[in-house]
Amino acid sequence: MNIYQKALEERKQQHLQRTLPLPPEGIDFYSNDYLGLAQSQSLSLAIEEECRNAPKLNGATGSRLLSGNSEYAEDVENDIAKFHNAESALIYASGYMANLGLISSLATKETTLICDELIHASLIDGVRLGHAKKVRFKHNDLDDFAEKLKKAEGQVIVLVESVYSMDGDICPIKELIALCNEHEAFLIIDEAHAFGIYGENGEGLVQSLKLEDEVFARIVTYGKASGIHGAAVAGPSWLKEYQVNFSRSMIFSTAPPNHHFSCIAAMYKHLPKCGADRNLLRENIEYFIRKRKASDGSWVDSKTHIQSLIVPGNKEVVELAEKLKEAEINALPIRKPSVAEGKERIRFCLHSYNTKEEIDLLFETLK
């Protein structure tokens, strides 16, 4: 047995082995398809229509710095920037690649990165690839953040999420902005779990608070509520130029094909029409919270579409997920090291298409 096989065996013993599951039958409390757009026939038809009008190329033929750029791609990015009230937008193949490319390119030796301790792995990997000083502050703790900010040197960049993917809680954006302004720090907000859901047209949490002019950059990810794939960085015009020159995940990747840009363009046109879906999601969140407050168990206090029941221990949380699956309820066990030891949990993702009866069944099963 070689060292890699031994590592796999250790994962099995620790109940940490990952596999590639096929989509299960039953009730969906696990996917990121919060508005049901990944399965939307109307969005599918809109994408087909957009593709008919797009330039006909099966592949991009190269990176955007070589042969893969087009007027069509730039038009889509300009429309994204307008939608988000930003000067510019730059599309990446995925949210992971956007975070990796943006953060690593900004993380120079003259920079200090101050990160909420619960930021996503893709942001953490971007931090690791850079050369900046790295400081973490306690999750959503403004006092700890202010203390770390006072001591930071050079150009300071603050990394947070608007809605956190594990606890489902919301970042104190207004307070962070006030502190960042005092110290001339750049605030970058990952809107992955807020885009599509917050705002009159699904613009995200920052715009719903009318704070887009106060935030240096936003990462909007398309593989969750918006139901497609890819991501964009929205920010000042010089930031797009900077990424084109220094973001390695953009520079050295073959550009997305026109079909990818068409999906994004169609989604942005469709998103304002999803008000009813957003309302249904809000109703389900409110109903779930009422049921949660009347139930037993160690629940994370979340007001969003991400709800978590703490079940300490990798073995224990996997066993509970299997029991739920027997009742045809699909929810994911989140294990150490994805979360801290003792904070293992079942994460329940709520959707516009979940029914009150499904939520009732969930809580009956948890009893």
Side-chain angles (χ1 to χ4, degrees):
M1 184 181 292
N2 61 46
I3 58 172
Y4 310 110
Q5 290 171 310
K6 287 180 181 177
L8 279 172
E9 189 58 35
E10 287 176 8
R11 287 225 153 180
K12 293 176 186 176
Q13 297 302 321
Q14 296 167 2
H15 303 277
L16 283 173
Q17 185 183 21
R18 294 184 173 99
T19 59
L20 295 174
L22 295 172
E25 298 291 330
I27 301 167
D28 179 4
F29 283 116
Y30 74 100
S31 81
N32 293 326
D33 189 21
Y34 303 126
L35 298 178
L37 292 183
Q39 50 197 302
S40 165
Q41 182 65 19
S42 56
L43 177 56
S44 178
L45 292 172
I47 291 171
E48 288 180 15
E49 178 66 23
E50 183 71 27
C51 286
R52 278 195 289 271
N53 298 322
K56 301 299 185 290
L57 274 177
N58 294 323
T61 76
S63 74
R64 289 185 71 182
L65 287 172
L66 295 178
S67 57
N69 196 32
S70 66
E71 287 185 13
Y72 182 63
E74 294 191 356
D75 287 344
V76 174
E77 288 176 334
N78 289 336
D79 288 342
I80 293 170
K82 289 176 185 176
F83 186 92
H84 289 290
N85 291 335
E87 291 181 3
S88 72
L90 181 66
I91 289 173
Y92 285 81
S94 69
Y96 185 96
M97 298 307 287
N99 284 338
L100 202 69
L102 175 66
I103 305 308
S104 63
S105 67
L106 292 171
T108 69
K109 293 178 181 178
E110 295 80 28
T111 304
T112 297
L113 296 175
I114 304 180
C115 315
D116 188 289
E117 64 182 350
L118 295 188
I119 56 172
H120 190 262
S122 57
L123 289 166
I124 292 171
D125 287 353
V127 171
R128 287 172 175 168
L129 282 177
H131 303 286
K133 301 180 186 70
K134 307 164 185 71
V135 180
R136 294 198 304 171
F137 67 95
K138 296 175 184 176
H139 177 54
N140 278 351
D141 189 322
L142 291 169
D143 291 333
D144 190 43
F145 171 69
E147 194 63 31
K148 301 290 170 57
L149 189 57
K150 287 177 187 175
K151 299 176 182 177
E153 300 175 344
Q155 177 59 62
V156 179
I157 297 177
V158 179
L159 303 180
V160 297
E161 298 179 34
S162 53
V163 176
Y164 283 88
S165 60
M166 288 300 160
D167 284 8
D169 53 352
I170 293 174
C171 173
I173 298 174
K174 291 182 180 178
E175 293 83 355
L176 284 178
I177 287 173
L179 289 165
C180 287
N181 286 344
E182 285 181 25
H183 297 269
E184 298 183 346
F186 288 163
L187 178 60
I188 297 178
I189 300 182
D190 187 337
E191 291 258 55
H193 291 275
F195 176 61
I197 295 170
Y198 294 91
E200 183 179 353
N201 296 312
E203 298 94 336
L205 187 59
V206 172
Q207 276 176 265
S208 76
L209 297 172
K210 302 187 185 306
L211 295 172
E212 57 267 34
D213 291 338
E214 302 289 330
V215 175
F216 169 61
R218 287 163 283 160
I219 302 104
V220 286
T221 302
Y222 305 138
K224 296 177 173 60
S226 51
I228 53 170
H229 193 67
V233 175
S237 55
W238 68 260
L239 180 60
K240 180 173 182 177
E241 183 181 357
Y242 183 86
Q243 290 172 92
V244 169
N245 281 275
F246 294 100
S247 172
R248 293 174 67 85
S249 67
M250 184 269 173
I251 294 167
F252 297 108
S253 288
T254 296
N258 284 330
H259 179 270
H260 183 87
F261 291 105
S262 295
C263 288
I264 294 171
M267 176 272 295
Y268 270 101
K269 293 172 184 175
H270 186 77
L271 205 55
K273 304 173 185 177
C274 298
D277 297 309
R278 283 186 281 273
N279 288 335
L280 285 171
L281 177 58
R282 279 191 287 270
E283 289 175 13
N284 281 338
I285 293 168
E286 291 169 2
Y287 187 76
F288 192 100
I289 291 172
R290 289 199 297 272
K291 300 286 289 188
R292 185 195 78 194
K293 289 181 176 178
S295 70
D296 295 325
S298 180
W299 289 90
V300 176
D301 185 18
S302 166
K303 297 178 176 63
T304 71
H305 45 288
I306 298 170
Q307 301 283 327
S308 291
L309 175 64
I310 302 298
V311 183
N314 285 341
K315 180 174 180 289
E316 289 76 7
V317 76
V318 169
E319 287 177 349
L320 179 55
E322 288 300 319
K323 288 179 181 177
L324 290 171
K325 196 170 183 178
E326 290 172 7
E328 296 189 341
I329 296 170
N330 297 300
L332 292 181
I334 310 297
R335 298 163 285 180
K336 176 193 171 187
S338 295
V339 292
E341 185 173 2
K343 296 292 185 180
E344 296 85 1
R345 81 259 326 257
I346 301 287
R347 182 176 65 175
F348 300 98
C349 294
L350 304 179
H351 312 88
S352 59
Y353 51 84
N354 286 132
T355 65
K356 305 295 188 298
E357 291 76 17
E358 289 173 347
I359 295 172
D360 289 341
L361 176 61
L362 167 62
F363 281 93
E364 283 298 318
T365 306
L366 286 175
K367 285 183 181 180

